[in-house]
Amino acid sequence: MVNTAALPRSVTPLVTTYVVLALGTLLVLAVLSAVAPAEAGSDAWVHAVVVAVFAGVLPLRLRAARRGSRRAEVALLVIAGVLAAANFVEAIVPGAFPGWMRVEMLGIAAVMVAVLVVCLRNPRIRTRAAKMLRWHPGSG
């Protein structure tokens, strides 16, 4: 039997994990600003604020997707994809961020890849996303 139900329940703990990582990053930066300012530079703060903004947006899109919003389902996919790619790229840029933050970025990228995988395993979400993004699997 193919699962055509709404958004998989396993997305919620993944989004929660992302929010905890984002808020934890802000907390760590606040502490490091006081005790080791070199580990909490302006680039790290910019990254953390952007991640925190998405930590506010992602649960809102999740809630709307749970209520059946097609746009919210696609928004979850787009946000997860962008966050996964951006965090991975930022993590591998040499010298741009402190080591602890690179680990955080890779963790966020992994969580967002998991969101993508869980969502795209659902045929209904995959089809909706393809239609909304005007992309059709197999069209190259």
Side-chain angles (χ1 to χ4, degrees), residues 39-88:
E39 292 291 314
S42 61
D43 289 342
W45 275 104
V46 169
H47 166 79
V49 168
V50 170
V51 166
V53 167
F54 281 108
V57 172
L58 210 53
L60 295 174
R61 297 292 78 208
L62 176 61
R63 189 175 318 136
R66 289 258 179 255
R67 290 191 308 252
S69 169
R70 292 180 202 177
R71 289 180 186 257
E73 287 176 353
V74 175
L76 276 173
L77 293 173
V78 170
I79 291 168
V82 168
L83 284 171
N87 277 277
F88 179 75

Side-chain angles (χ1 to χ4, degrees), residues 13-22 25 47 51 58 80 83-92 99-115:
L14 292 170
V15 169
T16 301
T17 300
Y18 173 77
V19 171
V20 168
L21 283 170
T25 300
H47 166 79
V51 166
L58 210 53
L83 284 171
N87 277 277
F88 179 75
V89 168
E90 285 181 324
I92 63 171
W100 70 269
M101 188 164 255
R102 291 172 188 274
V103 172
E104 173 261 358
M105 291 171 177
L106 291 173
I108 285 175
V111 170
M112 291 297 102
V113 167
V115 168

